[in-house]
DNA sequence: ACTATGACTGATT
DNA sequence: TAATCAGCCATAG
């Protein structure tokens, strides 16, 4: 069957959409799961390009170590913290605890993404 | 083809 | 624990 080779953008967006509410993932983790190891920076750039219609949970993506994606005090960082708190993710000192890290079942995830 | 840039990382200090 | 550094690689000019 004709494989609709998803663009890197689509792969990244689809992967981010799999992060469940109340959980977070890192840029590098998303890159790996999307089949783009080593492209953490591309993930960040691509999230910024995502149209609002996708309702992409961009705020569930953080830096390695669970730090907020943006510099502390910036409007973006505050928005991210607020959105996470609304889902029960406790943000303290600009970072979240290990308990909130997304640990997907790879078999299930790969099936959903169909790569 | 080359350089600069960035919603990044991991190791080092 | 926090700040710095160097490596990273797709994109844009």
């Amino acid at each position: 069957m004709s494989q609709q080779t998803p663009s890197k953008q689509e792969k990244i967006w689809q992967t981010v959409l799999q992060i469940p509410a109340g959980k977070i993932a890192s840029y590098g983790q998303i890159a790996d799961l999307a089949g783009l190891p080593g492209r953490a920076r591309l993930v960040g750039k691509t999230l910024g390009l995502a149209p609002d219609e996708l309702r992409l949970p961009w705020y569930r993506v953080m830096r390695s170590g669970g730090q907020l994606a943006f510099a502390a005090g910036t409007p973006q960082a505050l928005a991210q913290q607020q959105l996470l708190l609304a889902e029960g993710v406790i943000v303290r000192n600009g970072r979240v605890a290990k308990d909130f890290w997304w640990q997907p079942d790879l078999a299930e995830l790969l099936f959903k993404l169909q790569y």
Side-chain angles (χ1 to χ4, degrees):
Chain A
M1 78 191 197
S2 56
Q3 163 80 356
Q4 293 284 330
T5 61
S7 67
K8 292 171 185 174
Q9 266 189 2
E10 294 173 280
K11 285 183 178 178
I12 291 171
W13 291 339
Q14 283 304 309
T15 305
V16 171
L17 285 170
Q18 306 305 317
I19 308 175
K23 293 289 179 179
I24 65 95
S26 73
Y27 292 100
Q29 185 180 1
I30 294 301
D32 288 346
L33 294 174
L36 301 167
R39 279 58 158 193
R41 304 186 80 141
L42 180 62
V43 171
K45 180 167 295 186
T46 303
L47 285 186
L49 299 175
D52 296 350
E53 301 85 79
L54 280 182
R55 305 289 170 80
L56 211 60
W58 59 270
Y59 52 86
R60 294 181 191 147
V61 185
M62 312 187 75
R63 299 193 197 182
S64 67
Q67 306 165 67
L68 289 172
F70 304 90
T74 65
Q76 298 260 53
L78 294 175
Q80 180 170 37
Q81 174 169 331
Q82 187 170 5
L83 287 165
L84 288 175
L85 287 173
E87 293 188 343
V89 177
I90 300 172
V91 181
R92 209 174 70 159
N93 292 325
R95 113 175 5 180
V96 305
K98 242 181 177 179
D99 318 338
F100 300 106
W101 278 82
W102 180 36
Q103 296 176 4
D105 177 88
L106 290 185
E108 181 184 353
L109 179 68
L110 293 175
F111 176 74
K112 287 183 178 175
L113 295 177
Q114 305 215 330
Y115 288 166

